[in-house]
């Protein structure tokens, strides 16, 4: 009887498919299924608070992930920034956490550090790199693009290599991503963050309208509120599993 009830419960559970691109430390792994990551762990924590639901995450190229959520092939996307274009096909949850983007530089190139408190005018002549498809700050992109072509790369690790070899002067990337790669590769004495953040925005889970997953918006919001109240989101984001 116990086995029968367990099988019946398993059949009744709804499994949602979320997607994201390979983006350590938010998603880790080289195959289609991530081995972990901050945003993957956050989704797992939310799922533990919602009865009758579970979720899996698949790793896809970013534009394909967006397309699948738009068509309903994927049920949702791990926390991402809101935009009017995305709101047309995603129902966004309450803010999950804040993501910060920072300029990073080669310490050998700027031994006295890099200050840009006066704004982009003092640094926009430098060669800037960004992750392809990243959304950081339109004002920053306009300022740098007016003087030089912004170099786009498929991943942050590649940009940091270009920074180390003098092919770029600055890179603009997510702060957690920068800290992860610097720590992973032991680059603390070679690469540093430049003072104040470029931008800081809240990220939200996106639930596909086409797949019907948007119907779970209220349950996601409740789970996120509970996790925040208990300090669990902060514990996940500062997990030692993703620090080096």
């Amino acid at each position: 009887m116990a086995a029968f009830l367990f099988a019946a419960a398993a059949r009744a559970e709804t499994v949602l498919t979320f997607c994201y691109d390979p983006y350590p430390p938010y998603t880790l792994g080289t195959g289609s299924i991530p081995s972990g990551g901050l945003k993957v762990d956050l989704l797992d924590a939310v799922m533990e608070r919602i009865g009758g639901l579970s979720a899996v995450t698949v790793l896809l190229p970013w534009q394909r992930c967006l397309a699948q959520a738009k068509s309903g092939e994927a049920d949702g996307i791990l926390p991402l920034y809101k935009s009017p274009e995305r709101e047309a096909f995603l129902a966004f949850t309450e803010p999950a956490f804040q993501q910060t983007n920072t300029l990073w530089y080669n310490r050998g190139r700027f031994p006295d550090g890099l200050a840009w408190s006066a704004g982009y005018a003092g640094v926009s002549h430098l060669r800037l790199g960004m992750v392809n498809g990243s959304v950081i700050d339109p004002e920053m992109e306009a300022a740098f693009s007016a003087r030089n072509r912004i170099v786009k790369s498929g991943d942050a690790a590649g940009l940091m290599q270009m920074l180390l070899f003098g092919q770029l002067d600055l890179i603009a990337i997510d702060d957690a991503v920068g800290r992860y790669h610097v720590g992973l590769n032991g680059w603390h004495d070679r690469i540093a963050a430049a003072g104040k953040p470029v931008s800081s925005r809240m990220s939200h889970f996106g639930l596909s309208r086409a797949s019907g997953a948007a119907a779970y918006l209220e349950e996601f919001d409740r789970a996120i509120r509970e996790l925040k109240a208990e300090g669990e989101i902060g514990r996940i984001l500062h997990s030692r599993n993703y620090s080096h």
Side-chain angles (χ1 to χ4, degrees):
M1 177 62 74
F4 173 80
L5 291 174
F6 177 81
R11 286 196 300 272
E13 185 174 73
T14 298
V15 180
L16 302 180
T17 299
F18 280 74
C19 62
Y20 208 73
D21 61 344
Y23 199 37
Y26 293 125
T27 54
L28 300 175
T30 56
S32 60
I33 305 299
S35 58
L38 296 175
K39 292 187 178 183
V40 177
D41 289 355
L42 184 53
L43 175 62
D44 290 343
V46 169
M47 290 294 97
E48 289 175 3
R49 306 283 177 130
I50 303 176
L53 275 186
S54 64
V56 296
T57 300
V58 295
L59 297 179
L60 297 171
W62 184 239
Q63 292 303 320
R64 199 157 127 211
C65 177
L66 290 171
Q68 290 198 5
K70 188 172 185 177
S71 69
E73 188 176 348
D75 295 299
I77 302 178
L78 298 184
L80 73 165
Y81 297 142
K82 273 186 181 182
S83 73
E85 179 186 1
R86 292 171 180 176
E87 287 186 285
F89 61 91
L90 292 173
F92 284 94
T93 65
E94 289 194 2
F97 66 97
Q98 193 168 46
Q99 288 186 234
T100 300
N101 296 288
T102 310
L103 291 173
W104 297 74
Y105 65 93
N106 186 327
R107 290 181 184 270
R109 171 80 166 79
F110 300 98
D112 297 324
L114 182 73
W116 61 285
S117 56
Y120 296 120
V123 294
S124 58
H125 64 285
L126 299 171
R127 297 166 298 172
L128 177 70
M130 294 175 58
V131 174
N132 192 34
S134 61
V135 178
I136 293 182
D137 180 59
E139 182 185 352
M140 178 200 73
E141 292 193 47
F144 279 90
S145 295
R147 314 228 2 217
N148 291 297
R149 180 180 66 88
I150 296 175
V151 176
K152 299 294 181 74
S153 174
D155 58 63
L159 287 174
M160 287 195 161
Q161 290 284 353
M162 296 176 75
L163 196 63
L164 288 172
F165 287 105
Q167 297 167 311
L168 294 171
D169 299 311
L170 297 173
I171 59 175
I173 56 175
D174 181 281
D175 194 52
V177 173
R179 291 197 310 271
Y180 175 83
H181 285 290
V182 166
L184 178 67
N185 295 284
W187 290 335
H188 296 94
D189 61 342
R190 302 182 67 188
I191 295 178
K196 65 178 183 178
V198 173
S199 62
S200 189
R201 299 170 63 185
M202 299 305 297
S203 60
H204 316 246
F205 285 99
L207 304 178
S208 171
R209 299 185 188 279
S211 79
Y216 300 108
L217 183 63
E218 186 175 332
E219 292 170 272
F220 267 74
D221 285 344
R222 174 188 54 78
I224 291 168
R225 288 194 298 268
E226 290 177 0
L227 290 166
K228 284 182 178 178
E230 296 171 15
E232 187 61 26
I233 290 180
R235 283 191 285 273
I236 291 171
L237 296 178
H238 296 94
S239 169
R240 293 178 63 86
N241 294 334
Y242 306 112
S243 60
H244 296 273

